[in-house]
Amino acid sequence: MSELETDGLKAPSTAYKIVETPQLYRDVIERYGVDGSHVGMSEEESPWVPFGEGAAIRHLAFDVRSNTFSNILWIKGPGVVGTHNHRGTVVMVCLEGSCRYLEYDWVAGPGSFIYETPGLSHTLVSDHPDGVKLFGWLQGPIDFFDDQGEFLETLDVWWYINHYETYCRENGIPINKKLYL
């Protein structure tokens, strides 16, 4: 077996060129498909927007068609993002620091994968001295509650867009249209 083969499968081409591939519905894709996007590391492309006390969000993508949004959540030191219910699926990866949910017995560190299913309540905390940075891909609304379990607010793709755009307008930062899928 060659170095490029594993269990009968061959690795992708190593040719350093764009390869034209067959596409059954190429004309439909060209008419209705949406190009991919890239958001660079600079805060000019996406600033850290305050999110409550001691936290910030770097918005990466908004898709109004599926109520999906992506961001990096940064809890800047030991702290909490209050109890909330997800009404969609959440996929997160811990980038720095650590966090946990009060409702579970695990602690996520750099490289940890977190998957949240709809309908469950979570209270996100970081005990790490440097807090935590979490990359997240979230679908659907999130309902937040106060310390007594009383409903506070629903955050969905529209809330996140408003959060980003309001901050940009107030701080003279151009809106980055690459964030809108």
Side-chain angles (χ1 to χ4, degrees):
M1 185 178 294
S2 76
E3 288 183 36
L4 295 178
E5 291 183 36
T6 312
D7 296 330
L9 297 175
K10 292 184 179 180
S13 168
T14 57
Y16 202 97
K17 66 179 187 174
I18 296 173
V19 177
E20 190 70 29
T21 61
Q23 190 63 262
L24 184 59
Y25 302 106
R26 183 177 308 277
D27 62 323
V28 176
I29 293 168
E30 287 174 358
R31 281 196 315 270
Y32 301 110
V34 177
D35 286 340
S37 186
H38 170 266
V39 178
M41 294 173 46
S42 96
E43 287 197 49
E44 291 173 0
E45 293 202 43
S46 178
W48 288 104
V49 181
F51 185 63
E53 196 171 313
I57 292 175
R58 185 165 187 253
H59 298 283
L60 301 174
F62 310 113
D63 187 346
V64 300
R65 294 162 300 180
S66 62
N67 197 6
T68 302
F69 38 99
S70 180
N71 59 51
I72 299 172
L73 170 63
W74 178 18
I75 300 175
K76 298 180 179 183
V80 61
V81 171
T83 303
H84 55 280
N85 294 343
H86 290 279
R87 291 195 266 148
T89 302
V90 175
V91 175
M92 293 190 299
V93 174
C94 182
L95 303 174
E96 299 175 6
S98 65
C99 67
R100 61 191 176 94
Y101 287 120
L102 294 180
E103 295 80 7
Y104 301 113
D105 62 359
W106 50 259
V107 175
S112 292
F113 175 76
I114 302 167
Y115 183 79
E116 302 175 14
T117 57
L120 300 178
S121 296
H122 303 106
T123 309
L124 177 65
V125 299
S126 179
D127 301 314
H128 194 282
D130 297 326
V132 67
K133 284 185 181 173
L134 296 166
F135 164 79
W137 191 262
L138 304 90
Q139 188 274 322
I142 306 167
D143 295 328
F144 276 85
F145 299 86
D146 69 12
D147 295 347
Q148 307 304 311
E150 297 294 321
F151 173 78
L152 291 172
E153 187 170 12
T154 297
L155 281 58
D156 60 7
V157 70
W158 305 109
W159 186 96
Y160 283 91
I161 289 171
N162 184 64
H163 183 244
Y164 166 71
E165 290 185 354
T166 299
Y167 182 82
C168 288
R169 277 192 304 275
E170 290 174 354
N171 291 278
I173 299 168
I175 303 294
N176 184 351
K177 293 297 183 182
K178 292 189 295 183
L179 301 181
Y180 302 80
L181 305 180

